[in-house]
Amino acid sequence: AVQLVESGGGSVQAGGSLRLSCATSGDISASWLAWFRQAPGKEREGVAAIHASGTGARYPVSLKGRFTISQDNSKTTLYLQMNDLSPEDTGMYYCAAGRGGFPSARDFRNWGQGTQVTVSS
């Protein structure tokens, strides 16, 4: 079974940076890996995605340039580097694996427990 465990969230001031990590286990070789976030009272939003082979990184236009998705060399850890953070980036960030379809979450069947990111002004 695929398991995903996020870490790296925390509190940061506006303009700061954070790097989130997602440790993966199980067979994800044919999967897309993605980061989603959800703020209180808002819908879940796709933040970044990449194929498990390390190709095809995707971002919503609104976040491109500030967020970068990557993997370690062994392709067992997924990262999300977030720069120039603003209070609007506050939310719970989730790592997910699935068949794709990003930014829709519909075909992402495996999810981590989430890690909280709080950005203060």
Side-chain angles (χ1 to χ4, degrees):
V2 173
Q3 290 190 325
L4 307 169
V5 180
E6 302 96 335
S7 61
S11 297
V12 64
Q13 290 192 326
S17 299
L18 279 175
R19 188 176 78 159
L20 306 183
S21 299
C22 174
T24 71
S25 61
D27 186 5
I28 59 167
S29 59
S31 299
W32 281 84
L33 304 173
W35 289 96
F36 291 84
R37 68 184 182 186
Q38 188 162 22
K42 294 187 177 180
E43 293 189 354
R44 184 167 43 189
E45 175 187 18
V47 172
I50 192 168
H51 191 266
S53 63
T55 60
R58 299 177 181 176
Y59 308 89
V61 173
S62 60
L63 296 177
K64 197 170 185 178
R66 292 197 300 122
F67 288 16
T68 303
I69 190 170
S70 64
Q71 297 168 285
D72 68 345
N73 288 337
S74 67
K75 293 187 170 48
T76 58
T77 302
L78 183 71
Y79 300 107
L80 182 69
Q81 177 67 42
M82 305 186 294
N83 297 327
D84 192 22
L85 288 163
S86 72
E88 289 69 33
D89 295 313
T90 294
M92 187 69 78
Y93 283 69
Y94 299 92
C95 174
R99 295 190 301 168
F102 180 87
S104 169
R106 184 184 64 188
D107 290 330
F108 285 86
R109 301 299 179 91
N110 301 105
W111 293 80
Q113 82 289 351
T115 186
Q116 178 68 34
V117 171
T118 302
V119 184
S120 58
S121 57

